[in-house]
Amino acid sequence: MSAADSRVRRPPTADERTTLVAFLGWHRETLRVKCAGLTAAQLADRVLSPSGLSLLGLVRHAAETERFWFRTVMAGEPFEGLYAGDGAFDVARADERTVDEAWAAWRREVEFGERFVDEARDLDVAGDEPGEGPVSLRWVLMHLLEEYARHNGHADLLRERLDGVVGL
């Protein structure tokens, strides 16, 4: 692991809750590590895709996703998106302020999610996904693991294309 890599080792033997939380934390931190040391222009660069996929867009999407699942679905707060429409990915002209705001939003939403999980009596606590119905905290944690794993694959490719950095 490099100096910028502050990921905590995932426990090889632990209960279900500890394991899920550790893996989600590791994937959250992986996104941060993949973006470490890049400029705003690099983070906003659409090196692979005309669709607008960028590392900064992934950070903003992760913040929005955390917000939706923990605040809206699990905590029952009204949905208030951070970015209009698909605005999470609209970062073509990003500057340092845009980057700082994205990371601040992401940290705020991750902290909310972590507090929610810490305070939940168990993984069977249910929330209500708009238009779909009840989902358990267990399901939300697994879904977020799926989201981060998929997008961290995108982040791997974007980072390698930007400056040749590979690996976790």
Side-chain angles (χ1 to χ4, degrees):
M1 266 193 254
S2 70
D5 189 347
S6 60
R7 291 176 295 174
V8 175
R9 186 173 181 267
R10 293 152 295 171
T13 57
D15 61 67
E16 179 185 24
R17 183 185 199 132
T18 302
T19 301
L20 287 170
V21 168
F23 270 78
L24 180 55
W26 189 86
H27 274 287
R28 285 170 171 157
E29 192 61 14
T30 295
L31 179 60
R32 191 198 62 74
V33 168
K34 278 293 168 186
C35 296
L38 296 174
T39 66
Q42 287 173 309
L43 288 168
D45 196 328
R46 299 172 181 188
V47 294
L48 289 179
S49 170
S51 70
L53 186 63
S54 68
L55 287 168
L56 181 56
L58 291 175
V59 171
R60 289 166 46 128
H61 174 69
E64 190 86 77
T65 301
E66 295 265 359
R67 182 179 192 88
F68 174 75
W69 287 105
F70 285 113
R71 288 188 192 271
T72 301
V73 173
M74 295 308 297
E77 293 181 8
F79 182 69
E80 293 181 24
L82 296 168
Y83 312 101
D86 276 343
F89 291 105
D90 185 16
V91 295
R93 291 177 292 282
D95 56 18
E96 291 301 323
R97 180 174 174 224
T98 305
V99 170
D100 291 345
E101 288 171 353
W103 283 117
W106 180 75
R107 281 189 301 275
R108 189 171 51 250
E109 298 310 322
V110 165
E111 288 167 4
F112 183 92
E114 289 173 338
R115 273 192 313 277
F116 187 92
V117 172
D118 288 347
E119 294 169 5
R121 73 179 181 282
D122 58 40
L123 297 179
D124 293 322
V125 168
D128 186 47
E129 182 181 359
E132 297 294 325
V135 293
S136 69
L137 178 57
R138 175 182 295 102
W139 189 94
V140 169
L141 290 171
M142 288 301 298
H143 178 65
L144 285 171
L145 275 167
E146 170 190 46
E147 275 282 308
Y148 274 98
R150 183 172 65 121
H151 291 313
N152 282 339
H154 297 135
D156 284 339
L157 294 170
L158 290 166
R159 182 64 190 252
E160 181 179 3
R161 187 74 175 147
L162 280 167
D163 65 359
V165 170
V166 296
L168 300 172

